[in-house]
Amino acid sequence: MRYHPAHSIFLGVSLFLSVSACDWQSINTDPIRRAEATLAEQLPVAEAQTVRNLSGQGGRLAGIIIQHFKGIDAQPESYSAYLIDEQASNTFWQSGLYTGAMKDCFLIMQQADATQDHAYSAIARILMACNLGILTVCWGDVPYQEAFVEEQPVYDAQETIYAAIQHLLAEAIDLLAQADSIPGEDDLIFAGDLSLWKKTAYVLRARYALHLTRRDPQAAERALSFLAKANYADLQTQPDFPYQAALNEANPLALFSIERPDQLALGTGLLELLQDKSDPRLPYLARSQERDWLIYDEDSSLFWTRTDTDYPLISLTEIHFLAAEAHLRQENLSAADHSFREGVRWHFRQMEIPPQHLEQWLLHLPDLREATSHDALREIIEQKYIALFAQGSIEAWVDYRRTGFPQLTVPDNANASFNPSLVIPRRFLYPISERTVNNRHWQAAVDRQGGQLLDQHLWSFFP
Amino acid sequence: MFLLGLFFLFSIPGRTQEVLGQASDKASGQTDSLVQLADFLKQIRQEKQVSFLYETGVVRSKVLRPPANLQRPLRQILQDILPGLGLEFIAIDAQNYIIKPEGYSVETLADKKAVRLLRGQLINGVSAEPLPGGSIQLPGLRQGTISDEQGFFQLELSADVEFIRISYLGFKTEFVDVRDRNQVTVQLTPLIAALDEVVISALGIPVARQKLAYAHTERSTEALAISGEANLVNALRGQVPGLWAMSSSGSPGAMSSMVIRGFSSITGNNAPLIVLNGMPVDNHVFGGGSNGIAPSNRLIDLNPHDIASVSVLKGASAAALYGIRAANGVIVLNTRRGSPEQMEVRYSSSIGVQLNNQLPPRQNEYAQGIFREGKAVYMGPESRVNSSYGPPLHSLVYDGASDYPYDQHGRLVPASQYDGQPARTYDPYETFFVPGWTQDHHLQLSGGRQDLTYYLGMGYFRQTGTSPYSSFKRLSLKGVFDLALSDRMTLSWQTHLSQSGGNRFRRGSMLSGIPLGLFRTPPSFDIGNGLRGKRAADAPSSYLLADGSQRAYRGNSRYDNPFWAINRNPFSDAVMRTLQQLTLTYQWSPQLKLTYRAGGDIYSDRREDAFDRYSGTHPRGYLEEQDLYFAGLNTDVLLQWQQHWGDSWTLDALAGYNAFYSLRRSRRTMGEELRQPGIFQMSNAVSVHQEEAEVHKLVTGVFADARLTYQDWLTLNVTARNDWSSSLEPGYNRFFYPGAGLSVQTKQWLPTAWDKTISSLRLRASIAQVGNDAAPYLTNTYYQPGIVDGDYYLPGTQFPAYGVSGMERSDVKGNKMLRAERAQTVELGTEASFWSNRLTLDVSWFYTKNSGQILESTLPAPSGFLRKTINAGSILNRGWEAAATLDWLNGEDLQAQTRLVFTRFNSLVADLPADAQGISLAAFSALSSVVTNNEPYGVLIGTSYKRNENGRRIIGYDGFPLVSEQQQIVGDPNPDWLLGLQQHLAWKRWSLDLALDVKAGGDLWNGTRGVMNYLGISRESGEGRTVTDYVFSGVTPDGEENNKAVALADPAAGMRGIYWRRYGFLGLAEAQVEDASWVKIRSLGIHYTLPLSLWDKGKRRLRIGGMVRNLILWTPYSGIDPETSLRSANEIMGWDYFNSPGVRSLECHIDLVF
């Protein structure tokens, strides 16, 4: 072969390409996305998603069931008629809970446990407990022990889930005591104030203990002990998530009112309760339009549909009502009455309602010390039900199922397709994705609970 | 190599002589008693079983009166006829005779060592014209000569020289065997022009058509109606068997897509690879879901006028040489090139006007309103009511209020209450649409010298659409330079620069889309507020209220007034693109050639999108800026080898290396909420966030191709390739795939009596495999900026937010075990020609199995993931295709040619695992496109009628059809077959061209109709409104024949009593799925060619003509032109939901060559 300059060009170029072609893996690594993320980057998403799970689609659905809301158009209207099918909660279950906040919490726990970042380990456990709480009160048996590990995780019995919630919170309290470094502004709720996280963990333990009043005779006692450890009476700060005015950072209920106006009104149950007693809070909760009370106002004057209204993981008003109920169940009537009034007071304060309304209203309220325990419980749960509007529909739904208060009427247009006995729904149907891609375990869970329709009782609240 | 052209004094295989005989026969036309010498010799050859050896030029155009008695000895016959023609013969032996001009000496070749004189001539193998200035060289030595003005040359060479190299720019270089010869005539094959004989196959290499073992279609752009067509894809509709090319709408610059021989990949790519002069060209469509603008497919950046011909390679066997990216076939584009013969300047120009060709029929009798309290009540824009179930317009009058913002004549009130001016009927179609204009200019300059040729093309294309302000324009510059660096080395450079883009408007499921707001407007509302078309578009009074909010038929929000949409929701794109490629070839020896090719395809695409405050979609305003960038870098090293063994065997072998690297990047900046209306700048947005994506991929391959030919009638082709792809993990990322094919000319075995009928009958068979890799980054699991969602009804919060950044793990699980998809193809075909090529027929049957599909399986969310990419499922493609060309008339003045193109394919899904059943390609609330076992690809599933076991509809006791609990398959969008017909008629200087397109079968979901019915704005719901005794055919739940008569819209029953509203907003999907077959007169053109001078053989000319496109459309489809596609990816077919209408156009053009 004679030498020619072209030879070396060919040779050189071919060689260059073969060498550069060797490093396949670096080419197949996404330069924008990453293989890992820091704890400080993951925590804000976990917090925001957990609060969104309370305030978004799940909260609205529970709110419709418990008649905080009434759907007057489009899909909410069919939900109000109990056409809540296996499609309705699918996104909530998928991107909100399991691959949303719970996956985030699981990964933070895994990572922080390994690096001994106890503060992160603890906060992730508290958030995980909140999400498990949402799951189990909506669906009963849900996957947890095998979740995030197996591709098709089994479902755990609801009793196990409640135990897991308490266990997570107990672990969190221990870890908080050991924490040496603290998160900063990435902790959107408490900006790294671990003492507040500890109190939050205790009040949550109290909440989930009280969920089991129908199953656990010591429920009230446990709840009170947790509340005592939280020193709840001195609590001034609730775990608020700081929603902002910009649409991307807005309170979801406000966002819903902007994106889908004229779809939600005040629910019949809540409206009747407020109107019967001429409750001064009604005009602060909704605006009257023709036959309905819309939950938003175009000039954004209503508290809950302002884009920058904060949303609590658990509200101070709820904490006081929890205490009131626990005291009542322990037959400490004066403490119950005190906490009952504190609950109402905190609600007025939170809603920025002028104090003169509050004082008048407190006079209006019955004295629990003189009421029968049945009436006292009804009063507590009714006031709690009002206070939980837009910030705790899921908890109000729990209260209804375990106490029967407030009294609600099934709407005339209720559809029996998923609710054959036409009761106030007691659970959600499992989402369609579980039926189709986790069928074996889904079937076992449905069989174990005796069905999955809306009128099927959950173990926890079964009378 | 076919037509090697070594015919003098050399033992020619009998068959080659035959072909020559035919060629001259065709050229001469009919002569009564005279026959061609060549034909006469052929006849004798057959009768007497002898061979004649001659130079073709010697016998060309010599005619004779054949002697009556052919039984005499051959020598006597020859002695009788040859001297009269100036010829003589030498008998080598009893079977072989040399025929040569009188007086020519034939040297005996006894002394091989002596220096000898080689004489020869170069001629153009197609036009038979001599080629002056061609280069004749002795390989390895700087010795050679150049042909003279008549193409003749002579060269001294020693007897042991075996080959000479003949080169001529623009023609294929030939190596001529000169052993034992001293006179040659070399026919050179033009690289482009010889479409019948030589095709540009894979990798830009010319191959004799008869050596191809697979179907191959080549169309010159002269034959395609490219003038005035922005997108080359559109010009291919109905032109190529096996290719389904489809435009998505008539909007300027809207994407068009292509599928070759059916769909092969479930979630991957189904688009063919585009190759321009050996270089891959990106034809991606970025974006284009069911709710935005229709973006362009990027092939639109090429000026069709720069393209000389389009070759279509179908299926795996044809594409094995291009590797995995060619799994869906290859479209090979060959640009125009210069020729050293003559400098040519050409200017082509066209101007056209366009109108919508079919729009959904509307009612124009009933006003906006609803049924309330037992009657139809008018509800004006201020009520925000969306439907047109109001009273008849003739029952309404204007109250004359001058301050009423929604109509200049005042509010509409019942005629019974007020004595005012009667209500008008407004037609929003007439108010809104304007004629669209197209102008297309192309100037080209080409020419060259012997060692350098050039082509320069400059194009300007501009189109405005039938929506005011919509536009597309393209400015392009193309250069192709071929340079001979030495007798062994050539360099060619192709360069392309373009700028394209325009203003586009939204369509589909989008409150700010033009068709949505327009088609839904009731006849009682005037979107133009007294003005029309361009004037209404320019006047804010048509779409603005005094407070700056929107004037629309639903008050100041919800569905955008189309005039608002075009003014306040602008979208524009601007693409800058360059393509560069250098090709260096080096002829090592007569047998061996090296080619090195390196090129880049780079573009940026800037898109700006805005929604003003008060828009239906983003009431607080929204801005988006998107910067897209693509770079594709390609390198080929090719080694070509040609070897002859004796006279019968030829091997054409090729080995190569290819590397293709691509980078796709996008950066999207989104601004939420505008502080000030009408200011579309990011600084005016309340919150701004960004999204980025970057995808890199490298694919390299080594390949080999060997083609062994025996005596020009048998070719065996074997290919092999191994690819490595960066998108799969090491260990799984290399895949080898072989292929083999056979091509046999069977004519020689047919009885001689059939010769007159069958000119050629070639059979071919091939079997091949090809791989298709995954998209990048599916093998790993990633963390990405967090999104807070889980709420079907609300947009998610995107991090960074709340002043911090946030990350979360993606819900797609990486799969390190992912492998490439595999396609196996079998193809059988025949290519036949009859009556001296008057009729040619090319038929292929194919079967492809694409197995191990890369698809996303769904995981249960408690696993922590929602999706994982796996290998599962197959698609089986079966079909056949045919092309037939019939030359009816081939006279001097009158020519007529008909071409028919037929395509049929069937893509069937199989082998999907249970958890991947019914994979949804795309979903809409009432309808989705899915893949499911034993069904065609992308069948439509939707809400449907409840039916009994006999398939009869079950009608409820109230007299209306019941709905099935589960969604069912309601349609198959795949066409049954496609047919294209092209008729060419030429009379003297006039020519008439007609192209007809037929699509048989293929369903289309007319979602537009469902909604227009629901809203009472369709003609159907207008005319049917008064029907009170309709009986739905079907059976009652008891199984009795239904005979209950119902009113379709009884005001007494309120809105719930309206039949068209019983099944929801979109209606029953099954009821809206329609047959979208069509017959279209795609184009009808007439041209007149005026020669500018006679002395240069008519090259200088002026051609003028006119053309109508989409002149007539026959279709049972009741919506817009059924040639429509809402989704950009060609995988998702059969959706029409407020898509932009198609257009018909009239254009005139001129084409000047001088």
Side-chain angles (χ1 to χ4, degrees), chain B residues 277 306 335-336 445 454-458 477-482 492-497 579-581:
Chain B
N277 291 352
D306 290 330
T335 57
R336 293 184 197 278
L445 186 68
Y454 58 86
Y455 166 87
L456 282 170
M458 279 152 280
L477 189 64
K478 176 90 199 167
V480 182
F481 305 92
D482 292 300
S492 69
W493 174 39
Q494 63 158 325
T495 173
H496 165 97
L497 283 171
L579 287 137
Q580 303 291 338
Q581 180 178 258

Side-chain angles (χ1 to χ4, degrees), chain B residues 509-565:
Chain B
S509 173
M510 159 51 89
L511 301 180
S512 299
I514 302 276
L516 189 147
L518 184 72
F519 296 178
R520 294 182 185 184
T521 301
S524 50
F525 183 77
D526 181 13
I527 52 171
N529 206 6
L531 300 172
R532 266 187 182 197
K534 183 76 169 47
R535 288 181 59 214
D538 291 343
S541 65
S542 63
Y543 57 87
L544 265 190
L545 295 179
D547 64 356
S549 68
Q550 190 182 156
R551 179 185 172 277
Y553 96 83
R554 297 187 69 190
N556 57 9
S557 68
R558 311 301 192 268
Y559 305 160
D560 283 352
N561 180 329
F563 288 115
W564 168 278

Side-chain angles (χ1 to χ4, degrees), chain B residues 352-366:
Chain B
V353 62
Q354 301 177 322
L355 300 166
N356 293 318
N357 67 346
Q358 189 168 307
L359 291 165
R362 293 164 49 86
Q363 61 92 354
N364 37 37
E365 195 180 347
Y366 299 99

